[in-house]
Amino acid sequence: DIQMTQSPSSLSASVGDRVTITCRASQSISTYLNWYQQKPGKAPNLLIFDASSLQSGVPSRFSGSGSGTDFTLTISSLQPEDFATYYCQQSYSTPYTFGQGSKLEI
Amino acid sequence: EVQLVQSGAEVKKPGESLKISCKGSGYTFSTYWIGWVRQMPGKGLEWMGIIYPGDSDTRYSPSFQGQVTISADKSISTAYLQWSSLKASDTAMYYCARHLKGGSSFSPFDCWGQGTLVTVSS
């Protein structure tokens, strides 16, 4: 299985801050990397797919980059509704593993 | 509108069997891979497996192979996740989700069900 490791596991930030979360794969996954946001009690929501493609309806303050084994999710200017847990996932080979999550708190 | 609607919460005893469902609408159900994801209380997301309803091609995570069965009935646009003998450790929220790209599983989950909470307790 491909292991996905996110850092940090948790972080505190303020409204307006620029935040970056990283995700590392245990082997190359090209750009088959997705990012999800999950709020408490809700299903995950797709933000970014194929490492850098913004899902329809997702605000442009979210962006993704990377290829191979190292990826980043950046939120350019945090809004109150962005405080949530973020997960990366590889869709290169099954099982399509998730990272352990990064909890973004105020 | 693409939508996945899951069956309701379940409370079961250890050793009992269970089958939960996920009904798709708003798209051609048979041509998109559907997956199941487990989230144990307070924990992260775990990929369990996927199925292509068109031909029932199924892939499992090694962690869940033999523990659950994923199936689908394309005639009623419904996917299933079932257990033959539940354990307390199966207590979790279970989500179904659809892959973004028709015919391809090399894509993210773009549409998620609301989740089914399964509680296993004696």
Side-chain angles (χ1 to χ4, degrees):
Chain A
D1 298 5
I2 298 175
Q3 308 303 315
M4 306 301 293
T5 305
Q6 292 181 231
S7 62
S9 295
S10 65
L11 69 161
S12 297
S14 301
V15 173
D17 284 354
R18 179 183 180 89
V19 166
T20 297
I21 297 169
T22 65
C23 179
R24 175 164 288 177
S26 60
Q27 66 183 74
S28 178
I29 57 171
S30 184
T31 57
Y32 290 93
L33 192 282
N34 314 305
W35 290 98
Y36 301 88
Q37 176 194 67
Q38 187 180 31
K39 296 181 179 179
K42 299 293 188 181
N45 181 52
L46 176 65
L47 299 175
I48 302 283
F49 64 97
D50 293 347
S52 60
S53 296
L54 192 68
Q55 172 66 348
S56 176
V58 174
S60 59
R61 62 181 180 272
F62 291 93
S63 64
S65 65
S67 66
T69 60
D70 294 313
F71 302 87
T72 59
L73 172 70
T74 299
I75 310 172
S76 60
S77 178
L78 273 174
Q79 298 303 301
E81 61 268 30
D82 300 337
F83 292 94
T85 301
Y86 293 84
Y87 294 92
C88 63
Q89 181 209 24
Q90 61 85 13
S91 49
Y92 179 78
S93 70
T94 59
Y96 293 145
T97 41
F98 290 92
Q100 81 278 16
S102 295
K103 187 174 183 179
L104 178 53
E105 299 175 301
I106 300 172
Chain B
E1 178 195 7
V2 175
Q3 205 170 8
L4 296 174
V5 178
Q6 297 184 228
S7 50
E10 301 274 1
V11 179
K12 292 289 190 179
K13 290 181 167 38
E16 292 186 332
S17 63
L18 176 64
K19 191 173 189 177
I20 62 175
S21 66
C22 169
K23 183 173 177 60
S25 62
Y27 72 101
T28 304
F29 183 79
S30 61
T31 61
Y32 286 78
W33 289 82
I34 288 265
W36 289 93
V37 175
R38 183 175 80 175
Q39 188 166 39
M40 299 177 77
K43 302 299 184 183
L45 305 173
E46 298 175 89
W47 189 92
M48 301 177 71
I50 53 175
I51 187 166
Y52 188 72
D55 61 7
S56 292
D57 185 8
T58 309
R59 317 281 168 83
Y60 290 95
S61 165
S63 299
F64 293 94
Q65 179 89 47
Q67 308 305 309
V68 297
T69 301
I70 294 171
S71 60
D73 183 343
K74 62 184 179 183
S75 69
I76 55 171
S77 301
T78 302
Y80 302 97
L81 178 66
Q82 68 180 88
W83 296 259
S84 58
S85 181
L86 286 159
K87 310 179 191 65
S89 57
D90 293 317
T91 294
M93 181 71 80
Y94 293 88
Y95 293 101
C96 65
R98 188 196 79 157
H99 275 273
L100 174 67
K101 298 175 184 173
S104 171
S105 70
F106 300 105
S107 64
F109 290 131
D110 72 325
C111 179
W112 294 68
Q114 82 277 19
T116 296
L117 181 62
V118 174
T119 303
V120 184
S121 174
S122 55

